[in-house]
Amino acid sequence: MKPASFDYARPQSLSDALKLLAIHRDNAKIIAGGQSLVPMMNFRISRPELLIDINKIPDLDYHECSSDGHYLKIGALTRHETLRNSALIAQYCPLMHKAYQHVAHVVVRNRGTLCGNLAHADPASEMPAVMLALDATMVIRSNQGERKVQAEDFFKGLYSTDIKSDEILVEVQIPILDASFRFGFAELSPRKGDYASTLVAVMLKLINGKIESAALSYAGISDRPVRAPAAEKALLGQEPSSDLFQKVSAIVVQEIYLKKEDLESHVFQADLIQTLTPRALLNAIASHDQ
Ligand SMILES: Cc1cc2nc3c(=O)[nH]c(=O)nc-3n(C[C@H](O)[C@H](O)[C@H](O)COP(=O)(O)OP(=O)(O)OC[C@H]3O[C@@H](n4cnc5c(N)ncnc54)[C@H](O)[C@@H]3O)c2cc1C
């Protein structure tokens, strides 16, 4: 199918883009890499009257450490492929580096942006779960100014975020964690480069061989990425072991699925959680030994 007709604007500055958004609001859409928006327009799931192309706006394509060295800053036009191949990301955000091995195909990654991916909020996407595990901050701008939203408040539901119709996600800020943190990732997808059936992103802090803090973040099992707080709590103060990781995986299934009415229809996903959670946790511990 072809998209419904639309007007097209290519502002040369962020302030011009924000002015256009302030006027057209729900009738306009930002286009970054177009890798999710264009298919949705072709299927007429999305029918914007105006496309605001941000690709000519300078200074939005960057990824760097903040001046205080506490976090990574990633701009709105930074492509997946740049981040996937970045030595800076591999060093300072190993969880993102691991997860990027599962994201899409090179042609998609060459155009698709991290911020577009997060704004699109596909519930089976890798990076939203990674941002949730790492407590990332979204920097959002409108004509009225700038605000910051934590990842846990950013993802609101199926393809839905906290970004308002007159706002642009201009930057993602990801904490740089010290050497006591370990990261693991595991995913099952129908084919390499497809969205996940289920995935888990893991962050563990190990002090003297014991787990001092933990994040288990899942995608593909709800309308948005979710953490598993009861399972995370069960890891605290424990020494990592296969037995512990099996027990914790069972807790994840309980806390995510006990609330749901029909557990039977979720048996496959429950099995995936039971398989992928220990795998990601062991992956985190193995990265400790490397
Ligand atoms: C064949 C194929 C396979 C894929 N496989 C995967 C996969 O395995 N895993 C995965 O995670 N993704 C996958 N994707 C999606 C890919 O990651 C997209 O690039 C990404 O979801 C959207 O980024 P984009 O820059 O292309 O955004 P666009 O398509 O340009 O925009 C997507 C949405 O976000 C909004 N938007 C974009 N940028 C901003 C901004 N800065 N501020 C506010 N709103 C904004 C747009 O208005 C639109 O609603 C796949 C896509 C394709 C076509």
Side-chain angles (χ1 to χ4, degrees):
M1 277 186 68
K2 299 234 179 325
S5 65
F6 57 87
D7 289 329
Y8 175 79
R10 198 163 59 184
Q12 307 288 313
S13 71
L14 190 56
S15 65
D16 283 353
L18 291 171
K19 274 182 208 152
L20 281 172
L21 269 184
I23 296 166
H24 296 275
R25 291 197 169 240
D26 283 331
N27 295 324
K29 276 263 177 208
I30 294 293
I31 184 163
Q35 297 304 300
S36 296
L37 181 58
V38 171
M40 289 186 102
M41 288 173 64
N42 285 344
F43 283 113
R44 306 214 176 183
I45 297 166
S46 181
R47 302 170 74 127
E49 289 170 13
L50 173 66
L51 269 194
I52 303 173
D53 184 343
I54 60 172
N55 282 279
K56 290 289 175 198
I57 299 177
D59 305 328
L60 289 180
D61 180 1
Y62 59 87
H63 67 293
E64 61 198 25
C65 292
S66 60
S67 51
D68 60 10
H70 288 168
Y71 55 91
L72 282 168
K73 306 182 333 176
I74 301 175
L77 281 178
T78 315
R79 313 284 167 185
H80 290 313
E81 191 64 4
T82 305
L83 297 169
R84 186 179 192 258
N85 295 328
S86 162
L88 194 76
I89 296 296
Q91 182 176 358
Y92 293 115
C93 196
L95 181 56
M96 198 175 180
H97 178 73
K98 284 183 181 188
Y100 257 129
Q101 308 316 307
H102 299 265
V103 174
H105 315 276
V106 67
V107 281
V108 172
R109 294 194 302 264
N110 274 337
R111 293 296 308 162
T113 62
L114 173 67
C115 286
N117 178 274
L118 299 175
H120 183 58
D122 190 296
S125 178
E126 288 82 2
M127 290 306 144
V130 168
M131 298 305 138
L132 192 63
L134 295 176
D135 247 338
T137 303
M138 313 295 160
V139 183
I140 297 171
R141 206 171 294 170
S142 75
N143 254 345
Q144 312 302 314
E146 189 173 283
R147 65 190 182 99
K148 293 186 176 182
V149 181
Q150 295 307 117
E152 64 170 332
D153 300 317
F154 180 76
F155 300 104
K156 295 292 188 194
L158 190 67
Y159 304 119
S160 169
T161 71
D162 198 49
I163 303 173
K164 307 287 182 295
S165 58
D166 62 340
E167 292 180 325
I168 295 179
L169 174 60
V170 290
E171 184 176 286
V172 182
Q173 298 179 346
I174 306 172
I176 295 175
L177 301 175
D178 66 37
S180 61
F181 286 87
R182 314 291 164 209
F183 306 95
F185 189 87
E187 162 173 333
L188 184 94
S189 60
R191 289 169 305 189
K192 185 161 171 50
D194 279 2
Y195 281 108
S197 302
T198 298
L199 67 84
V200 54
V202 167
M203 181 275 286
L204 294 177
K205 180 175 181 158
L206 283 174
I207 299 287
N208 297 328
K210 293 199 171 162
I211 299 167
E212 195 178 276
S213 80
L216 297 173
S217 180
Y218 293 82
I221 56 174
S222 179
D223 64 350
R224 69 195 82 176
V226 287
R227 293 269 294 262
E232 291 170 0
K233 202 170 162 202
L235 286 164
L236 301 186
Q238 306 293 320
E239 283 180 19
S241 72
S242 293
D243 276 358
L244 173 68
F245 294 164
Q246 291 294 342
K247 280 181 200 147
V248 162
S249 307
I251 296 174
V252 178
V253 172
Q254 280 195 329
E255 70 176 321
I256 288 173
Y257 287 116
L258 269 190
K259 290 169 231 141
K260 296 198 175 175
E261 282 172 13
D262 184 8
L263 178 59
E264 270 188 22
S265 66
H266 298 289
V267 164
F268 176 59
Q269 276 183 325
D271 277 353
L272 281 182
I273 289 171
Q274 295 260 30
T275 306
L276 294 175
T277 304
R279 196 177 290 174
L281 284 161
L282 287 168
N283 179 247
I285 299 305
S287 65
H288 173 61
D289 299 331
Q290 280 164 12

